[in-house]
């Protein structure tokens, strides 16, 4: 008996066909984030092999906002050092890791520090290194520490070339002398200098080695300024680095603690030849709701004439569950957002490659631009090593 419903073979390659099969079997039929655990593990191995000697590894929580993911990476990379960027992440990280060391990656309003302290037991206060970018902020933290009768560990943000704030000269470090005086309630907890510009400057202008050498020279000047003040380095860290710079550090650099997050799941903004041995491990997946064999422009006959000629209008298309995803279409190959209708957060129309067999209830995969502000848009990620049943890992939402 003939059937009017066409039968399609998989529109994906073997990798995405496997994820689609998992989602069809274990998923919820709604837009989802899927995490490839096998790739995360192999990325972590690659990171380990690139990691500079004499530098501790610190995981950036905002880029990996999921406690089970942090647990697995912490075990594999043997670290309980974390960089936090939101007070709401402090409690869950402390709950998950009994001997964790948390360093704030940005200064937060003293009001937020106060609120966070309300949630900490006395012995936990010591696990957190707050960040001060200016003497005025350090003074506020000092006033808070004295009012609470506690000692706060505070690291100083230093500018090593990004120019996003923090002390930018030895004189500016000297400016913190008063805030860290004996009896201030503050204990010097180190320096935090981020080189987020490294690897972000457009390619023809990029001079990675020179830029790193300059950052290290600046870092060294800050270290000397701290030495001149006579502050103790005991228990203090010299933090720097990120996904696009950690591999540039060397044993002789003035740093001893580097942060990494995004590269471990390698979203699209982290495509860099220095990370070529790592692969994307996080996907936005969404089901196909409808398939149309050709695009019929509403009310615009003149456009109808162009439809067969223009990629993004011609051929079959699919309406997706949702749209406006923060990512680029990855599978099936050749998927392009419909040019006439634009993207829709409700039912986005994507045009397919001529031969695509993508069908209703199949899935489409997008590669996120970033893991930060993507992973935490949903309450959980669906995790598998590619063959094991999908597990649900809760995300850290603020
Ligand atoms: C202070 C600081 N350190 C490190 C990082 C690196 O994070 P990732 O490795 O996810 O890029 C960032 C990212 O914004 C940052 O702000």
């Amino acid at each position: 008996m003939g059937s009017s419903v066409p039968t399609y073979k998989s529109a994906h390659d073997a990798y995405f066909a496997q994820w689609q099969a998992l989602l069809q079997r274990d998923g919820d039929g709604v837009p989802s984030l899927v995490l490839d655990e096998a790739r995360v593990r192999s990325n972590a191995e690659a990171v380990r092999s690139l990691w500079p000697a004499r530098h501790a590894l610190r995981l950036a929580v905002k880029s990996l906002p999921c406690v089970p993911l942090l647990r697995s990476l912490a075990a594999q990379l043997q670290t309980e050092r974390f960089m936090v960027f939101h007070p709401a992440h402090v409690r869950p990280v402390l709950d998950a890791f009994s001997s964790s060391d948390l360093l704030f990656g940005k200064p937060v309003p003293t009001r937020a520090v106060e609120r966070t302290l309300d949630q900490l037991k006395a012995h936990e206060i010591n696990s957190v290194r707050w960040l001060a970018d200016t003497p005025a902020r350090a003074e506020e933290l000092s006033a808070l520490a004295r009012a609470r009768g506690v000692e706060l560990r505070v690291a100083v943000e230093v500018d090593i070339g990004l120019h996003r704030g923090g002390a930018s000269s030895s004189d500016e470090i000297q400016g913190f002398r008063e805030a860290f005086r004996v009896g201030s309630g503050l204990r010097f907890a180190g320096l935090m200098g981020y080189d987020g510009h490294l690897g972000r400057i457009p390619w023809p202008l990029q001079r990675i080695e020179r830029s790193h050498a300059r950052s290290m020279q600046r870092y060294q000047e800050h270290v000397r300024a701290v030495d001149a003040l006579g502050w103790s380095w005991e228990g203090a860290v010299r933090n720097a680095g990120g996904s696009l710079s950690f591999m540039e550090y060397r044993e002789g650099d003035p740093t001893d603690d580097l942060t990494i997050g995004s590269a471990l799941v390698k979203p699209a903004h982290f495509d860099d030849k220095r990370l070529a041995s790592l692969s994307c491990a996080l996907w936005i997946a969404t089901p196909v709701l409808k398939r149309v064999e050709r695009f019929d422009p509403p009310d615009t006959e003149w456009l109808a004439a162009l439809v067969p000629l223009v990629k993004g209008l011609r051929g079959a298309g699919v309406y997706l569950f949702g749209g406006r995803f923060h990512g680029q279409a990855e599978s099936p190959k050749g998927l392009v957002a419909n040019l006439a209708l634009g993207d829709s957060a409700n039912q986005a129309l994507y045009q397919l490659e001529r031969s695509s067999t993508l069908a209703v209830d199949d899935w489409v995969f997008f590669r996120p631009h970033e893991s930060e502000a993507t992973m935490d848009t949903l309450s959980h990620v669906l995790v598998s090593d590619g063959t094991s049943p999908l597990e649900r890992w809760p995300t850290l939402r603020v």
Side-chain angles (χ1 to χ4, degrees):
M1 196 182 80
S3 158
S4 61
V5 181
T7 51
Y8 300 113
K9 62 180 175 35
S10 177
H12 299 290
D13 63 15
Y15 177 78
F16 286 107
Q18 198 169 24
W19 279 103
Q20 174 170 283
L22 284 169
L23 285 159
Q24 283 170 339
R25 195 189 64 193
D26 305 334
D28 302 322
V30 295
S32 307
L33 288 159
V34 294
L35 184 71
D36 184 332
E37 206 183 353
R39 284 195 178 183
V40 173
R41 293 193 76 76
S42 100
N43 287 347
E45 268 329 296
V47 162
R48 202 211 291 270
S49 70
L50 294 169
W51 203 257
R54 294 193 178 279
H55 284 81
L57 186 149
R58 188 176 290 277
L59 293 168
V61 174
K62 73 174 170 61
S63 316
L64 308 160
C66 170
V67 166
L69 174 60
L70 292 170
R71 267 213 188 93
S72 139
L73 287 167
Q76 191 181 348
L77 296 167
Q78 305 211 310
T79 186
E80 289 216 351
R81 296 187 187 207
F82 299 94
M83 181 169 272
V84 286
F85 297 82
H86 198 297
H89 290 165
V90 171
R91 189 67 260 164
V93 174
L94 284 175
D95 286 340
F97 301 93
S98 52
S99 45
S100 51
D101 173 320
L102 279 64
L103 167 64
F104 262 83
K106 64 175 174 243
V108 293
T110 304
R111 179 72 175 147
V113 178
E114 204 178 346
R115 286 276 196 233
T116 312
L117 288 178
D118 291 340
Q119 301 170 26
L120 301 186
K121 300 182 194 89
H123 72 275
E124 292 172 330
I125 294 177
N126 215 21
S127 303
V128 183
R129 301 169 198 261
W130 305 96
L131 193 66
D133 54 333
T134 60
R137 198 182 298 277
E139 284 295 355
E140 279 185 30
L141 292 171
S142 159
L144 174 62
R146 282 179 284 124
R148 295 276 178 123
V150 295
E151 184 181 66
L152 295 180
R153 298 172 86 196
V154 174
V156 174
E157 179 174 14
V158 291
D159 180 6
I160 60 165
L162 176 60
H163 307 323
R164 188 173 73 173
S168 60
S169 65
S170 354
D171 282 353
E172 286 188 31
I173 294 271
Q174 295 277 340
F176 285 83
R177 179 198 295 268
E178 197 45 29
F180 283 99
R181 69 194 174 277
V182 175
S184 67
L186 303 191
R187 180 142 59 98
F188 175 64
L191 298 179
M192 195 290 288
Y194 180 44
D195 51 2
H197 54 297
L198 205 103
R200 287 286 179 218
I201 308 285
W203 170 75
L205 305 173
Q206 213 173 63
R207 300 281 180 278
I208 299 249
E209 262 178 48
R210 194 186 65 172
S211 180
H212 178 68
R214 282 186 178 176
S215 294
M216 291 304 93
Q217 198 183 338
R218 287 193 168 107
Y219 213 114
Q220 187 65 61
E221 283 162 19
H222 295 306
V223 170
R224 280 201 208 102
V226 168
D227 289 339
L229 283 165
W231 294 348
S232 165
W233 285 103
E234 202 188 319
V237 292
R238 295 192 289 266
N239 171 268
S243 286
L244 292 181
S245 61
F246 73 91
M247 67 298 267
E248 304 302 329
Y249 286 76
R250 301 287 172 263
E251 196 171 332
D253 284 342
T255 44
D256 61 11
D257 179 293
L258 303 173
T259 308
I260 184 167
S262 309
L264 290 158
V265 291
K266 206 180 173 195
H269 283 178
F270 292 82
D271 264 342
D272 182 298
K273 62 180 187 315
R274 295 166 305 146
L275 294 174
S277 57
L278 285 73
S279 44
C280 180
L282 180 71
W283 307 104
I284 301 165
T286 196
V288 173
L289 299 181
K290 303 162 187 166
R291 174 172 167 130
V292 288
E293 294 311 317
R294 68 189 168 84
F295 172 58
D296 230 348
D299 279 343
T300 41
E301 286 75 14
W302 62 271
L303 187 56
L306 286 180
V307 165
L309 307 174
V310 180
K311 193 174 176 202
L313 295 177
R314 72 174 167 229
V318 282
Y319 283 93
L320 304 180
F321 191 145
R324 288 200 195 282
F325 299 112
H326 299 297
Q328 59 199 41
E330 182 75 19
S331 187
K333 290 279 168 260
L335 202 65
V336 282
N338 180 279
L339 281 178
L341 294 189
D343 210 352
S344 151
N346 176 39
Q347 292 187 58
L349 174 60
Y350 273 74
Q351 301 304 131
L352 298 171
E353 256 186 356
R354 206 182 299 272
S355 59
S356 181
T357 57
L358 196 74
V360 170
D361 287 344
D362 277 351
W363 289 69
V364 162
F365 296 86
F366 289 82
R367 181 175 181 196
H369 298 310
E370 304 222 319
S371 51
E372 171 185 3
T374 298
M375 260 177 117
D376 48 3
T377 52
L378 297 178
S379 60
H380 60 266
V381 286
L382 296 174
V383 186
S384 167
D385 62 8
T387 53
S388 58
L390 290 178
E391 267 181 57
R392 271 150 232 271
W393 286 4
T395 54
L396 285 172
R397 306 183 82 185
V398 296

